[in-house]
Every structure is written in C-alpha cells, then in structure tokens.
PDB file of all heavy atoms in Angstrom:
ATOM      1  N   ALA M   1      36.721 138.841  93.587  1.00  0.00           N
ATOM      2  CA  ALA M   1      37.199 138.060  92.449  1.00  0.00           C
ATOM      3  C   ALA M   1      38.754 137.985  92.437  1.00  0.00           C
ATOM      4  O   ALA M   1      39.460 138.889  93.027  1.00  0.00           O
ATOM      5  CB  ALA M   1      36.683 138.667  91.154  1.00  0.00           C
ATOM      6  N   LYS M   2      39.275 137.074  91.704  1.00  0.00           N
ATOM      7  CA  LYS M   2      40.730 136.936  91.469  1.00  0.00           C
ATOM      8  C   LYS M   2      40.913 137.193  89.976  1.00  0.00           C
ATOM      9  O   LYS M   2      40.673 136.244  89.145  1.00  0.00           O
ATOM     10  CB  LYS M   2      41.150 135.539  91.810  1.00  0.00           C
ATOM     11  CG  LYS M   2      41.160 135.165  93.315  1.00  0.00           C
ATOM     12  CD  LYS M   2      42.277 135.885  94.036  1.00  0.00           C
ATOM     13  CE  LYS M   2      43.640 135.342  93.512  1.00  0.00           C
ATOM     14  NZ  LYS M   2      44.796 135.939  94.249  1.00  0.00           N
ATOM     15  N   PRO M   3      41.292 138.411  89.516  1.00  0.00           N
ATOM     16  CA  PRO M   3      41.548 138.597  88.135  1.00  0.00           C
ATOM     17  C   PRO M   3      42.913 138.145  87.635  1.00  0.00           C
ATOM     18  O   PRO M   3      43.854 138.010  88.580  1.00  0.00           O
ATOM     19  CB  PRO M   3      41.349 140.208  88.094  1.00  0.00           C
ATOM     20  CG  PRO M   3      41.874 140.594  89.373  1.00  0.00           C
ATOM     21  CD  PRO M   3      41.348 139.668  90.366  1.00  0.00           C
ATOM     22  N   GLY M   4      43.151 138.024  86.480  1.00  0.00           N
ATOM     23  CA  GLY M   4      44.415 137.550  85.902  1.00  0.00           C
ATOM     24  C   GLY M   4      44.625 136.131  86.074  1.00  0.00           C
ATOM     25  O   GLY M   4      43.684 135.307  86.245  1.00  0.00           O
ATOM     26  N   LEU M   5      45.882 135.745  85.977  1.00  0.00           N
ATOM     27  CA  LEU M   5      46.252 134.301  85.969  1.00  0.00           C
ATOM     28  C   LEU M   5      46.666 133.812  87.277  1.00  0.00           C
ATOM     29  O   LEU M   5      46.918 132.594  87.389  1.00  0.00           O
ATOM     30  CB  LEU M   5      47.462 134.168  84.851  1.00  0.00           C
ATOM     31  CG  LEU M   5      47.067 134.525  83.434  1.00  0.00           C
ATOM     32  CD1 LEU M   5      48.318 134.369  82.608  1.00  0.00           C
ATOM     33  CD2 LEU M   5      45.956 133.782  82.933  1.00  0.00           C
ATOM     34  N   ASP M   6      46.611 134.602  88.287  1.00  0.00           N
ATOM     35  CA  ASP M   6      46.982 134.150  89.653  1.00  0.00           C
ATOM     36  C   ASP M   6      46.011 133.051  90.195  1.00  0.00           C
ATOM     37  O   ASP M   6      44.792 133.280  90.138  1.00  0.00           O
ATOM     38  CB  ASP M   6      46.911 135.360  90.573  1.00  0.00           C
ATOM     39  CG  ASP M   6      47.188 135.128  92.057  1.00  0.00           C
ATOM     40  OD1 ASP M   6      47.662 134.014  92.369  1.00  0.00           O
ATOM     41  OD2 ASP M   6      47.009 135.986  92.782  1.00  0.00           O
ATOM     42  N   GLY M   7      46.549 131.943  90.513  1.00  0.00           N
ATOM     43  CA  GLY M   7      45.747 130.845  91.104  1.00  0.00           C
ATOM     44  C   GLY M   7      45.684 130.679  92.593  1.00  0.00           C
ATOM     45  O   GLY M   7      45.154 129.701  93.148  1.00  0.00           O
ATOM     46  N   HIS M   8      46.258 131.624  93.375  1.00  0.00           N
ATOM     47  CA  HIS M   8      46.321 131.502  94.825  1.00  0.00           C
ATOM     48  C   HIS M   8      45.035 132.156  95.340  1.00  0.00           C
ATOM     49  O   HIS M   8      44.991 133.434  95.302  1.00  0.00           O
ATOM     50  CB  HIS M   8      47.600 132.163  95.273  1.00  0.00           C
ATOM     51  CG  HIS M   8      48.834 131.403  94.896  1.00  0.00           C
ATOM     52  ND1 HIS M   8      49.220 131.478  93.599  1.00  0.00           N
ATOM     53  CD2 HIS M   8      49.626 130.549  95.502  1.00  0.00           C
ATOM     54  CE1 HIS M   8      50.324 130.685  93.541  1.00  0.00           C
ATOM     55  NE2 HIS M   8      50.599 130.131  94.638  1.00  0.00           N
ATOM     56  N   ASP M   9      44.129 131.416  95.986  1.00  0.00           N
ATOM     57  CA  ASP M   9      42.879 132.069  96.438  1.00  0.00           C
ATOM     58  C   ASP M   9      42.554 131.888  97.931  1.00  0.00           C
ATOM     59  O   ASP M   9      41.537 132.230  98.240  1.00  0.00           O
ATOM     60  CB  ASP M   9      41.738 131.582  95.640  1.00  0.00           C
ATOM     61  CG  ASP M   9      41.494 130.087  95.648  1.00  0.00           C
ATOM     62  OD1 ASP M   9      42.320 129.356  96.269  1.00  0.00           O
ATOM     63  OD2 ASP M   9      40.534 129.616  95.121  1.00  0.00           O
ATOM     64  N   ARG M  10      43.520 131.378  98.676  1.00  0.00           N
ATOM     65  CA  ARG M  10      43.192 131.182 100.084  1.00  0.00           C
ATOM     66  C   ARG M  10      42.846 132.469 100.806  1.00  0.00           C
ATOM     67  O   ARG M  10      41.935 132.611 101.537  1.00  0.00           O
ATOM     68  CB  ARG M  10      44.426 130.423 100.708  1.00  0.00           C
ATOM     69  CG  ARG M  10      44.136 130.327 102.227  1.00  0.00           C
ATOM     70  CD  ARG M  10      45.186 129.577 102.895  1.00  0.00           C
ATOM     71  NE  ARG M  10      45.074 128.134 102.710  1.00  0.00           N
ATOM     72  CZ  ARG M  10      45.902 127.263 103.204  1.00  0.00           C
ATOM     73  NH1 ARG M  10      46.990 127.560 103.924  1.00  0.00           N
ATOM     74  NH2 ARG M  10      45.579 125.963 103.006  1.00  0.00           N
ATOM     75  N   GLY M  11      43.679 133.519 100.530  1.00  0.00           N
ATOM     76  CA  GLY M  11      43.489 134.795 101.137  1.00  0.00           C
ATOM     77  C   GLY M  11      42.140 135.483 100.963  1.00  0.00           C
ATOM     78  O   GLY M  11      41.458 135.921 101.844  1.00  0.00           O
ATOM     79  N   ILE M  12      41.732 135.449  99.681  1.00  0.00           N
ATOM     80  CA  ILE M  12      40.468 136.038  99.348  1.00  0.00           C
ATOM     81  C   ILE M  12      39.254 135.266  99.910  1.00  0.00           C
ATOM     82  O   ILE M  12      38.269 135.739 100.302  1.00  0.00           O
ATOM     83  CB  ILE M  12      40.262 136.301  97.835  1.00  0.00           C
ATOM     84  CG1 ILE M  12      39.132 137.326  97.552  1.00  0.00           C
ATOM     85  CG2 ILE M  12      40.046 134.974  97.088  1.00  0.00           C
ATOM     86  CD1 ILE M  12      39.177 137.881  96.083  1.00  0.00           C
ATOM     87  N   LYS M  13      39.444 133.941 100.101  1.00  0.00           N
ATOM     88  CA  LYS M  13      38.384 133.097 100.655  1.00  0.00           C
ATOM     89  C   LYS M  13      38.315 133.383 102.135  1.00  0.00           C
ATOM     90  O   LYS M  13      37.231 133.443 102.774  1.00  0.00           O
ATOM     91  CB  LYS M  13      38.710 131.627 100.450  1.00  0.00           C
ATOM     92  CG  LYS M  13      38.392 131.246  99.010  1.00  0.00           C
ATOM     93  CD  LYS M  13      38.700 129.742  98.752  1.00  0.00           C
ATOM     94  CE  LYS M  13      38.333 129.361  97.315  1.00  0.00           C
ATOM     95  NZ  LYS M  13      38.747 127.922  97.063  1.00  0.00           N
ATOM     96  N   VAL M  14      39.504 133.629 102.756  1.00  0.00           N
ATOM     97  CA  VAL M  14      39.474 133.953 104.198  1.00  0.00           C
ATOM     98  C   VAL M  14      38.728 135.412 104.366  1.00  0.00           C
ATOM     99  O   VAL M  14      37.932 135.608 105.296  1.00  0.00           O
ATOM    100  CB  VAL M  14      40.875 134.038 104.808  1.00  0.00           C
ATOM    101  CG1 VAL M  14      40.956 134.772 106.161  1.00  0.00           C
ATOM    102  CG2 VAL M  14      41.452 132.738 104.919  1.00  0.00           C
ATOM    103  N   VAL M  15      39.040 136.356 103.487  1.00  0.00           N
ATOM    104  CA  VAL M  15      38.323 137.627 103.528  1.00  0.00           C
ATOM    105  C   VAL M  15      36.819 137.486 103.325  1.00  0.00           C
ATOM    106  O   VAL M  15      35.993 138.066 103.974  1.00  0.00           O
ATOM    107  CB  VAL M  15      38.951 138.602 102.500  1.00  0.00           C
ATOM    108  CG1 VAL M  15      38.095 139.882 102.370  1.00  0.00           C
ATOM    109  CG2 VAL M  15      40.358 138.955 102.888  1.00  0.00           C
ATOM    110  N   ALA M  16      36.469 136.659 102.292  1.00  0.00           N
ATOM    111  CA  ALA M  16      35.112 136.354 102.063  1.00  0.00           C
ATOM    112  C   ALA M  16      34.340 135.820 103.264  1.00  0.00           C
ATOM    113  O   ALA M  16      33.286 136.284 103.683  1.00  0.00           O
ATOM    114  CB  ALA M  16      34.926 135.413 100.879  1.00  0.00           C
ATOM    115  N   MET M  17      34.888 134.847 103.982  1.00  0.00           N
ATOM    116  CA  MET M  17      34.341 134.335 105.205  1.00  0.00           C
ATOM    117  C   MET M  17      34.196 135.326 106.304  1.00  0.00           C
ATOM    118  O   MET M  17      33.158 135.433 106.967  1.00  0.00           O
ATOM    119  CB  MET M  17      35.110 133.049 105.634  1.00  0.00           C
ATOM    120  CG  MET M  17      34.830 131.854 104.756  1.00  0.00           C
ATOM    121  SD  MET M  17      35.633 130.418 105.354  1.00  0.00           S
ATOM    122  CE  MET M  17      37.372 130.769 105.205  1.00  0.00           C
ATOM    123  N   ALA M  18      35.247 136.170 106.426  1.00  0.00           N
ATOM    124  CA  ALA M  18      35.257 137.204 107.464  1.00  0.00           C
ATOM    125  C   ALA M  18      34.095 138.282 107.195  1.00  0.00           C
ATOM    126  O   ALA M  18      33.452 138.640 108.144  1.00  0.00           O
ATOM    127  CB  ALA M  18      36.658 137.875 107.596  1.00  0.00           C
ATOM    128  N   LEU M  19      33.942 138.599 105.933  1.00  0.00           N
ATOM    129  CA  LEU M  19      32.902 139.542 105.511  1.00  0.00           C
ATOM    130  C   LEU M  19      31.520 138.942 105.841  1.00  0.00           C
ATOM    131  O   LEU M  19      30.660 139.648 106.323  1.00  0.00           O
ATOM    132  CB  LEU M  19      33.102 139.976 104.116  1.00  0.00           C
ATOM    133  CG  LEU M  19      34.237 140.997 103.801  1.00  0.00           C
ATOM    134  CD1 LEU M  19      34.425 141.022 102.293  1.00  0.00           C
ATOM    135  CD2 LEU M  19      33.853 142.367 104.345  1.00  0.00           C
ATOM    136  N   ARG M  20      31.434 137.711 105.503  1.00  0.00           N
ATOM    137  CA  ARG M  20      30.077 137.052 105.671  1.00  0.00           C
ATOM    138  C   ARG M  20      29.781 137.039 107.211  1.00  0.00           C
ATOM    139  O   ARG M  20      28.706 137.253 107.649  1.00  0.00           O
ATOM    140  CB  ARG M  20      30.091 135.619 105.179  1.00  0.00           C
ATOM    141  CG  ARG M  20      29.935 135.638 103.643  1.00  0.00           C
ATOM    142  CD  ARG M  20      29.761 134.173 103.088  1.00  0.00           C
ATOM    143  NE  ARG M  20      29.659 134.249 101.657  1.00  0.00           N
ATOM    144  CZ  ARG M  20      30.342 133.465 100.859  1.00  0.00           C
ATOM    145  NH1 ARG M  20      31.200 132.593 101.285  1.00  0.00           N
ATOM    146  NH2 ARG M  20      30.265 133.634  99.542  1.00  0.00           N
ATOM    147  N   ASP M  21      30.830 136.684 108.015  1.00  0.00           N
ATOM    148  CA  ASP M  21      30.650 136.633 109.463  1.00  0.00           C
ATOM    149  C   ASP M  21      30.295 137.993 110.096  1.00  0.00           C
ATOM    150  O   ASP M  21      29.658 138.092 111.093  1.00  0.00           O
ATOM    151  CB  ASP M  21      31.935 136.117 110.201  1.00  0.00           C
ATOM    152  CG  ASP M  21      32.155 134.608 109.863  1.00  0.00           C
ATOM    153  OD1 ASP M  21      31.305 133.922 109.339  1.00  0.00           O
ATOM    154  OD2 ASP M  21      33.307 134.174 110.184  1.00  0.00           O
ATOM    155  N   ALA M  22      30.745 139.091 109.426  1.00  0.00           N
ATOM    156  CA  ALA M  22      30.461 140.381 109.849  1.00  0.00           C
ATOM    157  C   ALA M  22      29.145 140.968 109.206  1.00  0.00           C
ATOM    158  O   ALA M  22      28.690 142.084 109.527  1.00  0.00           O
ATOM    159  CB  ALA M  22      31.577 141.376 109.387  1.00  0.00           C
ATOM    160  N   GLY M  23      28.362 140.072 108.519  1.00  0.00           N
ATOM    161  CA  GLY M  23      26.995 140.472 108.083  1.00  0.00           C
ATOM    162  C   GLY M  23      26.901 140.866 106.592  1.00  0.00           C
ATOM    163  O   GLY M  23      25.837 141.159 106.125  1.00  0.00           O
ATOM    164  N   ALA M  24      28.026 140.859 105.864  1.00  0.00           N
ATOM    165  CA  ALA M  24      28.003 141.221 104.371  1.00  0.00           C
ATOM    166  C   ALA M  24      27.440 140.094 103.594  1.00  0.00           C
ATOM    167  O   ALA M  24      27.546 138.864 103.980  1.00  0.00           O
ATOM    168  CB  ALA M  24      29.357 141.609 103.973  1.00  0.00           C
ATOM    169  N   GLU M  25      26.811 140.393 102.493  1.00  0.00           N
ATOM    170  CA  GLU M  25      26.492 139.412 101.441  1.00  0.00           C
ATOM    171  C   GLU M  25      27.657 139.327 100.482  1.00  0.00           C
ATOM    172  O   GLU M  25      27.984 140.427  99.882  1.00  0.00           O
ATOM    173  CB  GLU M  25      25.145 139.806 100.703  1.00  0.00           C
ATOM    174  CG  GLU M  25      23.953 139.631 101.610  1.00  0.00           C
ATOM    175  CD  GLU M  25      22.676 139.938 100.777  1.00  0.00           C
ATOM    176  OE1 GLU M  25      22.675 139.806  99.551  1.00  0.00           O
ATOM    177  OE2 GLU M  25      21.697 140.239 101.520  1.00  0.00           O
ATOM    178  N   VAL M  26      28.234 138.217 100.354  1.00  0.00           N
ATOM    179  CA  VAL M  26      29.454 138.136  99.497  1.00  0.00           C
ATOM    180  C   VAL M  26      29.162 137.277  98.291  1.00  0.00           C
ATOM    181  O   VAL M  26      28.595 136.186  98.498  1.00  0.00           O
ATOM    182  CB  VAL M  26      30.577 137.495 100.377  1.00  0.00           C
ATOM    183  CG1 VAL M  26      31.938 137.351  99.483  1.00  0.00           C
ATOM    184  CG2 VAL M  26      30.979 138.417 101.593  1.00  0.00           C
ATOM    185  N   ILE M  27      29.556 137.787  97.192  1.00  0.00           N
ATOM    186  CA  ILE M  27      29.543 136.964  95.942  1.00  0.00           C
ATOM    187  C   ILE M  27      30.938 136.788  95.462  1.00  0.00           C
ATOM    188  O   ILE M  27      31.543 137.713  95.046  1.00  0.00           O
ATOM    189  CB  ILE M  27      28.666 137.699  94.862  1.00  0.00           C
ATOM    190  CG1 ILE M  27      27.252 137.948  95.310  1.00  0.00           C
ATOM    191  CG2 ILE M  27      28.666 136.972  93.567  1.00  0.00           C
ATOM    192  CD1 ILE M  27      27.048 139.265  96.050  1.00  0.00           C
ATOM    193  N   TYR M  28      31.360 135.572  95.579  1.00  0.00           N
ATOM    194  CA  TYR M  28      32.832 135.259  95.183  1.00  0.00           C
ATOM    195  C   TYR M  28      32.756 134.699  93.776  1.00  0.00           C
ATOM    196  O   TYR M  28      32.240 133.566  93.573  1.00  0.00           O
ATOM    197  CB  TYR M  28      33.490 134.343  96.194  1.00  0.00           C
ATOM    198  CG  TYR M  28      34.889 133.980  95.762  1.00  0.00           C
ATOM    199  CD1 TYR M  28      35.783 134.911  95.427  1.00  0.00           C
ATOM    200  CD2 TYR M  28      35.272 132.624  95.727  1.00  0.00           C
ATOM    201  CE1 TYR M  28      37.076 134.606  94.896  1.00  0.00           C
ATOM    202  CE2 TYR M  28      36.552 132.200  95.314  1.00  0.00           C
ATOM    203  CZ  TYR M  28      37.416 133.192  94.882  1.00  0.00           C
ATOM    204  OH  TYR M  28      38.660 132.840  94.585  1.00  0.00           O
ATOM    205  N   LEU M  29      33.381 135.342  92.824  1.00  0.00           N
ATOM    206  CA  LEU M  29      33.392 134.871  91.407  1.00  0.00           C
ATOM    207  C   LEU M  29      34.443 133.811  91.094  1.00  0.00           C
ATOM    208  O   LEU M  29      34.404 133.187  90.095  1.00  0.00           O
ATOM    209  CB  LEU M  29      33.576 136.045  90.541  1.00  0.00           C
ATOM    210  CG  LEU M  29      32.597 137.248  90.694  1.00  0.00           C
ATOM    211  CD1 LEU M  29      32.884 138.263  89.680  1.00  0.00           C
ATOM    212  CD2 LEU M  29      31.140 136.727  90.497  1.00  0.00           C
ATOM    213  N   GLY M  30      35.448 133.670  92.000  1.00  0.00           N
ATOM    214  CA  GLY M  30      36.494 132.748  91.801  1.00  0.00           C
ATOM    215  C   GLY M  30      37.702 133.290  90.924  1.00  0.00           C
ATOM    216  O   GLY M  30      37.914 134.502  90.904  1.00  0.00           O
ATOM    217  N   LEU M  31      38.509 132.310  90.436  1.00  0.00           N
ATOM    218  CA  LEU M  31      39.769 132.586  89.828  1.00  0.00           C
ATOM    219  C   LEU M  31      39.624 133.112  88.373  1.00  0.00           C
ATOM    220  O   LEU M  31      38.657 132.669  87.739  1.00  0.00           O
ATOM    221  CB  LEU M  31      40.616 131.349  89.845  1.00  0.00           C
ATOM    222  CG  LEU M  31      40.958 130.809  91.214  1.00  0.00           C
ATOM    223  CD1 LEU M  31      41.620 129.397  91.037  1.00  0.00           C
ATOM    224  CD2 LEU M  31      41.984 131.750  91.898  1.00  0.00           C
ATOM    225  N   ARG M  32      40.626 133.773  87.961  1.00  0.00           N
ATOM    226  CA  ARG M  32      40.890 134.156  86.485  1.00  0.00           C
ATOM    227  C   ARG M  32      39.673 134.843  85.853  1.00  0.00           C
ATOM    228  O   ARG M  32      39.290 134.560  84.756  1.00  0.00           O
ATOM    229  CB  ARG M  32      41.244 132.875  85.739  1.00  0.00           C
ATOM    230  CG  ARG M  32      42.538 132.287  86.279  1.00  0.00           C
ATOM    231  CD  ARG M  32      42.988 131.006  85.529  1.00  0.00           C
ATOM    232  NE  ARG M  32      44.092 130.399  86.188  1.00  0.00           N
ATOM    233  CZ  ARG M  32      44.141 129.496  87.165  1.00  0.00           C
ATOM    234  NH1 ARG M  32      42.926 129.121  87.715  1.00  0.00           N
ATOM    235  NH2 ARG M  32      45.299 129.128  87.671  1.00  0.00           N
ATOM    236  N   ARG M  33      39.163 135.827  86.595  1.00  0.00           N
ATOM    237  CA  ARG M  33      38.053 136.522  86.101  1.00  0.00           C
ATOM    238  C   ARG M  33      38.525 137.819  85.310  1.00  0.00           C
ATOM    239  O   ARG M  33      39.480 138.472  85.800  1.00  0.00           O
ATOM    240  CB  ARG M  33      37.129 137.014  87.195  1.00  0.00           C
ATOM    241  CG  ARG M  33      36.452 135.840  87.939  1.00  0.00           C
ATOM    242  CD  ARG M  33      35.582 135.144  87.033  1.00  0.00           C
ATOM    243  NE  ARG M  33      35.311 133.887  87.511  1.00  0.00           N
ATOM    244  CZ  ARG M  33      34.813 132.860  86.805  1.00  0.00           C
ATOM    245  NH1 ARG M  33      34.730 132.943  85.501  1.00  0.00           N
ATOM    246  NH2 ARG M  33      34.577 131.648  87.350  1.00  0.00           N
ATOM    247  N   THR M  34      37.877 138.182  84.206  1.00  0.00           N
ATOM    248  CA  THR M  34      38.168 139.375  83.505  1.00  0.00           C
ATOM    249  C   THR M  34      37.624 140.517  84.079  1.00  0.00           C
ATOM    250  O   THR M  34      36.529 140.451  84.900  1.00  0.00           O
ATOM    251  CB  THR M  34      37.828 139.274  82.029  1.00  0.00           C
ATOM    252  OG1 THR M  34      36.256 139.209  82.001  1.00  0.00           O
ATOM    253  CG2 THR M  34      38.315 137.949  81.366  1.00  0.00           C
ATOM    254  N   ALA M  35      38.020 141.776  83.750  1.00  0.00           N
ATOM    255  CA  ALA M  35      37.347 142.965  84.197  1.00  0.00           C
ATOM    256  C   ALA M  35      35.921 142.975  83.736  1.00  0.00           C
ATOM    257  O   ALA M  35      35.096 143.373  84.595  1.00  0.00           O
ATOM    258  CB  ALA M  35      38.079 144.217  83.617  1.00  0.00           C
ATOM    259  N   GLU M  36      35.646 142.603  82.582  1.00  0.00           N
ATOM    260  CA  GLU M  36      34.270 142.678  82.092  1.00  0.00           C
ATOM    261  C   GLU M  36      33.336 141.686  82.948  1.00  0.00           C
ATOM    262  O   GLU M  36      32.240 142.080  83.209  1.00  0.00           O
ATOM    263  CB  GLU M  36      34.180 142.272  80.581  1.00  0.00           C
ATOM    264  CG  GLU M  36      34.736 143.321  79.691  1.00  0.00           C
ATOM    265  CD  GLU M  36      34.211 144.695  79.932  1.00  0.00           C
ATOM    266  OE1 GLU M  36      32.912 144.801  80.091  1.00  0.00           O
ATOM    267  OE2 GLU M  36      34.903 145.733  79.986  1.00  0.00           O
ATOM    268  N   GLU M  37      33.874 140.504  83.282  1.00  0.00           N
ATOM    269  CA  GLU M  37      33.115 139.531  84.035  1.00  0.00           C
ATOM    270  C   GLU M  37      32.853 140.137  85.433  1.00  0.00           C
ATOM    271  O   GLU M  37      31.756 139.992  86.018  1.00  0.00           O
ATOM    272  CB  GLU M  37      33.880 138.187  84.253  1.00  0.00           C
ATOM    273  CG  GLU M  37      33.898 137.384  82.979  1.00  0.00           C
ATOM    274  CD  GLU M  37      34.786 136.155  83.071  1.00  0.00           C
ATOM    275  OE1 GLU M  37      35.863 136.284  83.678  1.00  0.00           O
ATOM    276  OE2 GLU M  37      34.436 135.147  82.461  1.00  0.00           O
ATOM    277  N   ILE M  38      33.877 140.728  86.047  1.00  0.00           N
ATOM    278  CA  ILE M  38      33.684 141.403  87.321  1.00  0.00           C
ATOM    279  C   ILE M  38      32.635 142.473  87.345  1.00  0.00           C
ATOM    280  O   ILE M  38      31.753 142.445  88.222  1.00  0.00           O
ATOM    281  CB  ILE M  38      35.097 141.852  87.863  1.00  0.00           C
ATOM    282  CG1 ILE M  38      36.063 140.736  88.090  1.00  0.00           C
ATOM    283  CG2 ILE M  38      34.911 142.667  89.120  1.00  0.00           C
ATOM    284  CD1 ILE M  38      37.536 141.078  88.263  1.00  0.00           C
ATOM    285  N   TRP M  39      32.657 143.353  86.390  1.00  0.00           N
ATOM    286  CA  TRP M  39      31.691 144.461  86.350  1.00  0.00           C
ATOM    287  C   TRP M  39      30.350 143.913  85.972  1.00  0.00           C
ATOM    288  O   TRP M  39      29.306 144.467  86.424  1.00  0.00           O
ATOM    289  CB  TRP M  39      32.193 145.550  85.494  1.00  0.00           C
ATOM    290  CG  TRP M  39      33.308 146.298  86.076  1.00  0.00           C
ATOM    291  CD1 TRP M  39      34.624 146.354  85.777  1.00  0.00           C
ATOM    292  CD2 TRP M  39      33.267 146.904  87.417  1.00  0.00           C
ATOM    293  NE1 TRP M  39      35.372 147.033  86.674  1.00  0.00           N
ATOM    294  CE2 TRP M  39      34.564 147.373  87.731  1.00  0.00           C
ATOM    295  CE3 TRP M  39      32.270 147.172  88.296  1.00  0.00           C
ATOM    296  CZ2 TRP M  39      34.972 147.999  88.867  1.00  0.00           C
ATOM    297  CZ3 TRP M  39      32.536 147.785  89.625  1.00  0.00           C
ATOM    298  CH2 TRP M  39      33.835 148.319  89.713  1.00  0.00           C
ATOM    299  N   ALA M  40      30.246 143.006  85.170  1.00  0.00           N
ATOM    300  CA  ALA M  40      28.896 142.389  84.779  1.00  0.00           C
ATOM    301  C   ALA M  40      28.309 141.879  86.032  1.00  0.00           C
ATOM    302  O   ALA M  40      27.072 142.048  86.344  1.00  0.00           O
ATOM    303  CB  ALA M  40      29.056 141.282  83.719  1.00  0.00           C
ATOM    304  N   ALA M  41      29.067 141.127  86.859  1.00  0.00           N
ATOM    305  CA  ALA M  41      28.478 140.559  88.132  1.00  0.00           C
ATOM    306  C   ALA M  41      28.183 141.647  89.094  1.00  0.00           C
ATOM    307  O   ALA M  41      27.158 141.541  89.806  1.00  0.00           O
ATOM    308  CB  ALA M  41      29.612 139.572  88.694  1.00  0.00           C
ATOM    309  N   ALA M  42      29.059 142.641  89.190  1.00  0.00           N
ATOM    310  CA  ALA M  42      28.769 143.788  90.107  1.00  0.00           C
ATOM    311  C   ALA M  42      27.438 144.484  89.744  1.00  0.00           C
ATOM    312  O   ALA M  42      26.607 144.745  90.658  1.00  0.00           O
ATOM    313  CB  ALA M  42      29.927 144.781  90.040  1.00  0.00           C
TER     314      ALA M  42
END
C-alpha cells in the first residue's frame, strides 16, 4: 500500500510485479491508504 498523501506509485507497482514474478500472492491496495485500511486488508 501507499499510505499518506503521496501519489507516486510507480516504484511499488514495480515491486508488486517482481514479487508476483517470484511466486508471491500480492494484494496492492493502491494510493492514500490509512493504517486502519492496511491492517483490515492484512
């Protein structure tokens, strides 16, 4: 996830794709997520 007001997400999307390519199951929540949203999803 990208918490806070930061809108730059290219890097985390690259990491997400690399993790998927390595066999991980990735759930990307997107931009501007709160701590509560992140832990609820986790």
